Amino acid sequence: MTTPIPATRFADPAPAEHLERAADALAAHGFTVEILDDVAAARARVEDLIPEGASVFTGASETLRLSGIEADINTSGRYDAVRPRVLAMDRGTEQDEIRRLTSTPDVIMGSVHAVTETGSLVIASGSGSQLPGYAGGAARAIWIVGAQKVVPDLPTALRRVEEHCLPLESARTQVVHGWPSAVNRLLVLNAEARPGRGTVLLLREAIGF
């Protein structure tokens, strides 16, 4: 049964017991989960988790941008940052190489649009560029997730995508690119088959969409 949640509530951080419930369910499904207090703790933990020199692709994410983690990865010089490389490549003549670089890095980083208390991660995308790496192409995946993204179940997660995330992302892309966003692709991760591959850093505070 779907638990009714007003759309305005999708911006509120979930209570501690809901975070614990989601973390336990994700762990039971093979994900590595850590509950952290705030963005500062997440930034420090990411530095611990990713070895220097690893190839790292940051998926488009307001959570990564607002937290400073995107800059930590792409401008610090500690890593082989994939995003700056592909942004400098020619979309017409180097598309195959772009696809390979973004799909199979050592580490892919980003966020999700919802995490359920039943142990699933939900990621929506317009282009789908980050989804191959998330789904299994990258050797490791790390998601930084604000507390407001925790929802009871999958139907509520899909509501959150359509009613909360999409309008905010469309407003952003309209300003940045001149066109609205769309949920063209949707990835639901119900379990992680490879122990240690997928890590969820679940924050007690809200950040991102």
Side-chain angles (χ1 to χ4, degrees), residues 108-167:
I108 187 165
M109 287 206 62
S111 189
V112 304
H113 294 97
V115 55
T116 73
E117 293 176 34
T118 53
S120 295
L121 302 176
V122 177
I123 305 116
S125 178
S127 69
S129 62
Q130 76 277 43
L131 300 188
Y134 286 165
R140 294 186 62 194
I142 301 172
W143 296 280
I144 314 298
V145 183
Q148 83 279 16
K149 298 182 179 184
V150 174
V151 297
D153 49 35
L154 188 55
T156 312
L158 298 180
R159 273 190 57 210
R160 187 178 196 279
V161 168
E162 293 287 347
E163 298 176 15
H164 180 76
C165 303
L166 181 57

Side-chain angles (χ1 to χ4, degrees), residues 1-57:
M1 181 178 178
T2 302
T3 303
I5 294 181
T8 53
R9 291 288 304 280
F10 288 139
D12 296 339
E17 61 268 25
H18 294 256
L19 268 66
E20 296 283 355
R21 196 176 302 146
D24 289 345
L26 287 167
H29 293 174
F31 296 96
T32 299
V33 188
E34 300 179 28
I35 299 178
L36 303 175
D37 285 336
D38 52 29
V39 165
R43 291 179 74 172
R45 190 69 183 111
V46 165
E47 188 171 345
D48 291 338
L49 289 172
I50 305 178
E52 189 170 346
S55 64
V56 186
F57 177 50

Side-chain angles (χ1 to χ4, degrees), residues 97 167 182:
E97 181 62 16

Side-chain angles (χ1 to χ4, degrees), residues 46-191:
V46 165
E47 188 171 345
D48 291 338
L49 289 172
I50 305 178
E52 189 170 346
S55 64
V56 186
F57 177 50
T58 53
S61 164
E62 282 295 281
T63 296
L64 292 192
R65 185 185 69 81
L66 293 169
S67 66
I69 292 172
E70 180 182 75
D72 292 344
I73 297 298
N74 293 326
T75 67
S76 68
R78 290 194 298 268
Y79 313 105
D80 177 9
V82 172
R83 178 167 287 279
R85 290 170 61 188
V86 301
L87 289 176
M89 295 170 74
D90 186 279
R91 291 297 187 275
T93 62
E94 298 180 284
Q95 190 59 48
D96 283 347
E97 181 62 16
I98 291 171
R99 175 175 50 80
R100 283 187 284 268
L101 286 169
T102 58
S103 297
T104 59
D106 296 328
V107 182
I108 187 165
M109 287 206 62
S111 189
V112 304
H113 294 97
V115 55
T116 73
E117 293 176 34
T118 53
S120 295
L121 302 176
V122 177
I123 305 116
S125 178
S127 69
S129 62
Q130 76 277 43
L131 300 188
Y134 286 165
R140 294 186 62 194
I142 301 172
W143 296 280
I144 314 298
V145 183
Q148 83 279 16
K149 298 182 179 184
V150 174
V151 297
D153 49 35
L154 188 55
T156 312
L158 298 180
R159 273 190 57 210
R160 187 178 196 279
V161 168
E162 293 287 347
E163 298 176 15
H164 180 76
C165 303
L166 181 57
L168 292 172
E169 176 63 7
S170 279
R172 187 192 73 82
T173 57
Q174 192 72 57
V175 171
V176 175
H177 302 297
W179 58 76
S181 187
V183 181
N184 292 329
R185 291 162 176 82
L186 190 69
L187 177 66
V188 179
L189 300 173
N190 290 320

